[in-house]
Amino acid sequence: MLFRRPTPVLPVCLLLLHLSSAQAESAVIRDTETTVVTATKETDLNALNTPNYQILHREDFIDSSQTLGDLLQKINGIQIRQISGLGNPASVSIRGSSSKQVQLYIDGQLINDSQFGGFDVNQLPTEQIDSIEISKSQALGTGSTPIGGVIRINTYNPQIDSARISLASGSFGYREVNLMANKLFTNYSLAAGFSHVQSDNNYSYQVPQNFVVPSISTKEKLANNAYEKNALHLNSEIYLGQHLLRFNMQYTEQRKELANYQNNSPENTSEISSDSWRFGYLHNWQSSHVWLAQVELEAYTQFTDEIYLEQPTGVMNKRANYQSVKSFAGIKPTLNAGDLVITPFINFNHQIFESTTVLKGQATPCNGINSCDVTASQQQLNYGTRLEWPIVQLALTPYALISQSQEQNANSVLNKSGSKHIDEQDYTTQELGITYQPNKFNAVVDDRFDFSAFLTWSNGVRAPTLFEMFGDRGSFKGNPNLQPEEAKTLSLGSTVSYANLSFTGAFYQQQLVNSIVAIFNSSNVGSYSNVSQAELTGLELQANYKVSSDLSLMLQTNLIDSNTQSEYTAYHNKRLPGIYHQQYSAGIRYAITEHWQINLNSNIDNELYFNRANVFDSVGNSTENPANRLTTDLQLGWKKERFTAHLAINNLFDDEYQDLANRPAQGRNIQFKIAIKEI
């Protein structure tokens, strides 16, 4: 059993102070005779500047007090799903996908949970991020092809001496503190960071049943909804000739109170808390052989301990403990055969999950009312090859990626004898693509004009989670006969720019089969089934115009048309749930002076359905979709030498739109952040 560990605040502060004092020393210049190598990212082989691939750099977001979810939802085609304020898990939809169909990587580690399939995109503070890579409907470099796409987060690990401190405060008791420090030695570098975030989350909420007088509905500040997180990260690199060794560690401790949305009870003390440790290792060898460019060896492990306390009346009623261990090892050489780049790879992934539930101090029985405690495991072997062949004469770069996965899944019920399930699955994913980039191959004389186009086809797979196959939550049962979800996606688009005007467009069509849906029978017993297939067509358009060196404009459009086909009437001829089918955005950025800048963005989001039957509760007997929303965000920034200040007013006009659970979300909120670098 994993034990909860206290946050190592004092050691972190001492380390940061040590690195900061070392900053004052004279800079150490590396020996010029030493061969310096840098880790080649997955996307180096797929650096296609197209609507299918985008990257956010640290300087794009570091000065604002925003979560990763805030940043991603500004990308055309990405939607963030979050319920009830900071601290609740925020999931991602890319081009209409479910969050389980999107892969999230942090420093090469796949964060998706094998038990439930999801992830919280806000688990890593933005201050600890160096860059964010987004690939839509495709893998990033190597690995299995997902249905929805990939988000890869690279943590901050600069090759310079620096230090930084930032403070933020905002509405609903929001407070944030970040400390960062980096030190460069001759053949060694070290980066460390600590972050603390907390929020009362006590925004006003329309309570259906008042706690004192249940017959009336009142608007009150949401109680027992506070959130707190501490995060520490350490990165170090060692350079030994042609070898780069990188070690990283991430520790996160967080606690989220769970509000009672029905009556906002002041006696409620329910909460969920977690500790998570992640250790990673990367060895990159830059070879001197003509045919062998490099070899990359990667490994990581992660331990997570999560505790859920259900205490609606202030007295402990239920305690659930969820523990998981993830381990990964992989090797990936890069081979050259003339202009052909070949990247074979093999990865091994092992995950273990265990749950323990206690009800009023006693172990819970496994029956049709209570949950069953389980121990589950998944072993996955993934191997394949990526081929890329630049054709300089035609300014074309075609590529192909094929991946094979072999899984062995097991599940045992702890509080019920003789209940064990074992399942094995094999599946293959493929990608084919070609990109036309004349400027990349110096085929265009006019450097003011740039044009690129791409065409890709992918066959992505989302394997069922362990809970979907074996889960047991009282009257909800797993289904060991589930087939993986599979989607074939065709996408094409282009980017055109001339002088100060640029235009980006992408069209995509996806055919999804074996959609996994929860189905309940007449006895109200539910389980997951492969019940439907869906067709999805989308269009993404974006225009940017730089009016002058001080003023720039942006317009975005994201349109999705979806339809499902199923033998179940409730899921037949319906729109996909949980996504907005129409989104429009407009933004303006203006440099007021040398030091002041203002950004204004407005967004219109329409046509969201809360469930697969496309049923939602109306507001005031209206038949309109209650989640349609118009939001406007205002940001004012100031920067001078080592100092920055940032003011953000989100939801400027206090539009209390519905969240994804069809509950009123927080209205206008204000955040202010200051930062000092090179302290």
Side-chain angles (χ1 to χ4, degrees):
M1 189 173 196
L2 298 178
F3 294 92
R4 300 195 64 195
R5 304 170 177 84
T7 307
V9 178
L10 181 58
V12 175
C13 294
L14 291 176
L15 176 60
L16 293 173
L17 289 174
H18 168 72
L19 293 178
S20 298
S21 63
Q23 170 87 9
E25 299 176 2
S26 59
V28 179
I29 302 176
R30 291 188 181 177
D31 185 354
T32 56
E33 296 299 319
T34 303
T35 302
V36 179
V37 296
T38 57
T40 301
K41 297 178 182 178
E42 292 271 348
T43 50
D44 284 349
L45 295 179
N46 190 28
L48 309 179
N49 186 21
T50 72
N52 267 15
Y53 170 79
Q54 290 174 273
I55 183 168
L56 300 176
H57 297 282
R58 182 176 177 83
E59 56 269 20
D60 298 329
F61 55 79
I62 188 59
D63 291 326
S64 62
S65 182
Q66 300 180 87
T67 64
L68 180 56
D70 295 331
L71 300 174
L72 291 174
Q73 68 181 356
K74 297 177 183 178
I75 302 296
N76 206 6
I78 292 184
Q79 299 184 31
I80 299 298
R81 299 166 173 173
Q82 187 168 15
I83 297 174
S84 183
L86 187 68
N88 285 326
S91 60
V92 179
S93 170
I94 299 180
R95 290 181 173 174
S97 70
S98 70
S99 60
K100 295 178 183 179
Q101 295 169 348
V102 178
Q103 297 175 353
L104 176 68
Y105 290 86
I106 299 179
D107 287 332
Q109 174 186 348
L110 183 62
I111 301 300
N112 294 64
D113 179 65
S114 64
Q115 179 68 11
F116 300 107
F119 54 84
D120 179 11
V121 73
N122 286 337
Q123 61 185 279
L124 194 66
T126 54
E127 287 268 353
Q128 298 179 11
I129 298 176
D130 183 69
S131 63
I132 306 162
E133 300 174 80
I134 302 107
S135 177
K136 303 173 184 178
S137 305
Q138 298 170 256
L140 267 177
T142 58
S144 62
T145 298
I147 293 175
V150 179
I151 298 172
R152 179 181 172 116
I153 302 171
N154 305 300
T155 58
Y156 188 50
N157 191 38
Q159 301 299 304
I160 58 174
D161 290 352
S162 66
R164 171 186 169 94
I165 182 172
S166 66
L167 305 171
S169 180
S171 303
F172 315 120
Y174 180 85
R175 293 172 292 278
E176 179 183 350
V177 179
N178 297 284
L179 301 172
M180 303 289 296
N182 318 285
K183 180 61 181 175
L184 179 64
F185 303 93
T186 304
N187 295 313
Y188 175 74
S189 66
L190 176 65
F194 172 75
S195 176
H196 170 81
V197 176
Q198 67 181 81
S199 174
D200 296 333
N201 274 333
N202 58 345
Y203 56 89
S204 295
Y205 173 77
Q206 191 70 36
V207 180
Q209 293 177 303
N210 180 269
F211 181 76
V212 179
V213 186
S215 60
I216 65 172
S217 174
T218 59
K219 195 168 187 176
E220 305 172 2
K221 287 188 175 181
L222 196 58
N224 199 64
N225 197 37
Y227 172 68
E228 182 177 0
K229 176 170 67 175
N230 296 302
L232 164 70
H233 94 277
L234 296 172
N235 281 339
S236 63
E237 290 187 351
I238 303 174
Y239 302 88
L240 301 173
Q242 295 175 287
H243 298 266
L244 165 64
L245 306 179
R246 181 176 183 181
F247 304 88
N248 57 64
M249 184 275 288
Q250 178 77 36
Y251 170 77
T252 304
E253 176 195 50
Q254 53 186 349
R255 172 179 170 271
K256 174 65 173 65
E257 295 177 350
L258 303 175
N260 186 322
Y261 297 98
Q262 186 63 29
N263 61 15
N264 202 30
S265 169
E267 299 177 359
N268 173 34
T269 56
S270 299
E271 67 173 46
I272 187 168
S273 59
S274 66
D275 286 309
S276 179
W277 292 84
R278 176 173 59 87
F279 303 92
Y281 167 74
L282 172 70
H283 183 178
N284 185 284
W285 171 45
Q286 295 286 332
S287 172
S288 57
H289 297 286
V290 176
W291 56 271
L292 178 62
Q294 67 173 16
V295 178
E296 188 171 281
L297 176 66
E298 194 170 17
Y300 63 75
T301 187
Q302 178 174 325
F303 307 90
T304 302
D305 187 11
E306 189 174 71
I307 298 176
Y308 166 64
L309 299 178
E310 184 179 344
Q311 303 173 123
T313 59
V315 179
M316 180 177 293
N317 182 37
K318 181 179 180 181
R319 174 191 174 102
N321 187 209
Y322 307 109
Q323 297 178 319
S324 63
V325 179
K326 303 178 184 179
S327 301
F328 169 89
I331 186 170
K332 180 180 61 180
T334 300
L335 310 174
N336 295 323
D339 292 332
L340 179 64
V341 180
I342 308 171
T343 310
F345 60 92
I346 182 168
N347 302 322
F348 177 76
N349 193 356
H350 184 216
Q351 299 193 32
I352 302 174
F353 172 84
E354 183 174 308
S355 64
T356 306
T357 307
V358 176
L359 182 62
K360 294 182 179 180
Q362 302 293 325
T364 58
C366 180
N367 52 37
I369 300 176
N370 296 316
S371 304
C372 293
D373 290 329
V374 302
T375 176
S377 66
Q378 180 185 85
Q379 294 185 19
Q380 183 185 72
L381 181 65
N382 175 244
Y383 54 91
T385 301
R386 178 186 178 90
L387 304 173
E388 187 163 339
W389 184 21
I391 306 176
V392 178
Q393 299 84 349
L394 302 178
L396 296 176
T397 307
Y399 83 94
L401 172 65
I402 184 169
S403 170
Q404 176 73 29
S405 294
Q406 299 176 352
E407 285 186 6
Q408 184 179 73
N409 305 299
N411 185 89
S412 299
V413 177
L414 300 180
N415 45 359
K416 183 179 180 181
S417 61
S419 180
K420 184 174 182 179
H421 302 278
I422 297 178
D423 172 81
E424 294 185 359
Q425 294 196 21
D426 294 348
Y427 54 88
T428 305
T429 63
Q430 307 93 15
E431 289 182 32
L432 297 172
I434 187 168
T435 302
Y436 175 65
Q437 292 177 293
N439 275 21
K440 179 180 178 180
F441 299 99
N442 298 319
V444 177
V445 177
D446 189 351
D447 57 6
R448 296 177 301 170
F449 176 80
D450 190 16
F451 172 79
S452 64
F454 73 92
L455 173 66
T456 63
W457 175 89
S458 64
N459 179 33
V461 168
R462 201 277 289 183
T465 67
L466 293 174
F467 180 73
E468 289 170 336
M469 290 188 291
F470 310 123
D472 195 328
R473 289 294 181 267
S475 60
F476 195 89
K477 310 298 180 183
N479 180 2
N481 298 317
L482 285 175
Q483 297 298 313
E485 293 180 333
E486 185 174 357
K488 293 179 172 60
T489 306
L490 180 68
S491 59
L492 60 101
S494 66
T495 298
V496 181
S497 63
Y498 181 77
N500 296 329
L501 177 65
S502 65
F503 177 83
T504 299
F507 172 82
Y508 56 92
Q509 187 174 48
Q510 184 176 88
Q511 294 284 345
L512 174 69
V513 296
N514 294 330
S515 178
I516 299 175
V517 177
I519 298 293
F520 292 84
N521 61 23
S522 58
S523 301
N524 204 30
V525 176
S527 67
Y528 287 100
S529 301
N530 297 108
V531 302
S532 65
Q533 61 185 33
E535 181 175 340
L536 187 147
T537 304
L539 178 66
E540 296 172 5
L541 301 173
Q542 178 167 336
N544 295 80
Y545 179 55
K546 188 174 182 181
V547 181
S548 66
S549 59
D550 299 327
L551 179 63
S552 58
L553 308 175
M554 181 273 294
L555 294 173
Q556 281 185 350
T557 298
N558 178 37
L559 303 176
I560 298 176
D561 182 35
S562 64
N563 185 265
T564 61
Q565 300 87 42
S566 174
E567 60 182 11
Y568 294 84
T569 304
Y571 304 99
H572 181 66
N573 196 29
K574 296 295 191 300
R575 311 293 287 276
L576 289 175
I579 59 171
Y580 286 100
H581 286 70
Q582 294 183 20
Q583 292 186 295
Y584 308 94
S585 302
I588 180 172
R589 175 178 297 180
Y590 179 60
I592 304 173
T593 67
E594 178 185 358
H595 304 296
W596 290 91
Q597 180 174 280
I598 187 171
N599 297 326
L600 185 67
N601 291 274
S602 291
N603 305 278
I604 299 175
D605 302 312
N606 293 329
E607 292 193 28
L608 177 139
Y609 302 91
F610 293 101
N611 48 51
R612 290 184 180 271
N614 289 176
V615 176
F616 51 78
D617 296 330
S618 61
V619 178
N621 296 322
S622 170
T623 58
E624 295 182 357
N625 190 325
N628 289 349
R629 64 189 187 187
L630 167 62
T631 58
T632 300
D633 300 331
L634 175 67
Q635 298 183 4
L636 181 65
W638 174 82
K639 187 174 185 179
K640 186 175 182 180
E641 297 176 349
R642 299 183 296 117
F643 304 93
T644 61
H646 186 269
L647 175 67
I649 306 177
N650 302 310
N651 210 359
L652 182 62
F653 301 110
D654 198 25
D655 179 19
E656 294 185 359
Y657 55 83
Q658 306 297 104
D659 64 19
L660 290 181
N662 202 10
R663 293 191 295 253
Q666 65 184 31
R668 181 190 304 115
N669 65 89
I670 302 173
Q671 291 185 356
F672 178 71
K673 181 178 182 179
I674 59 173
I676 307 173
K677 64 179 181 179
E678 298 177 0
I679 57 176

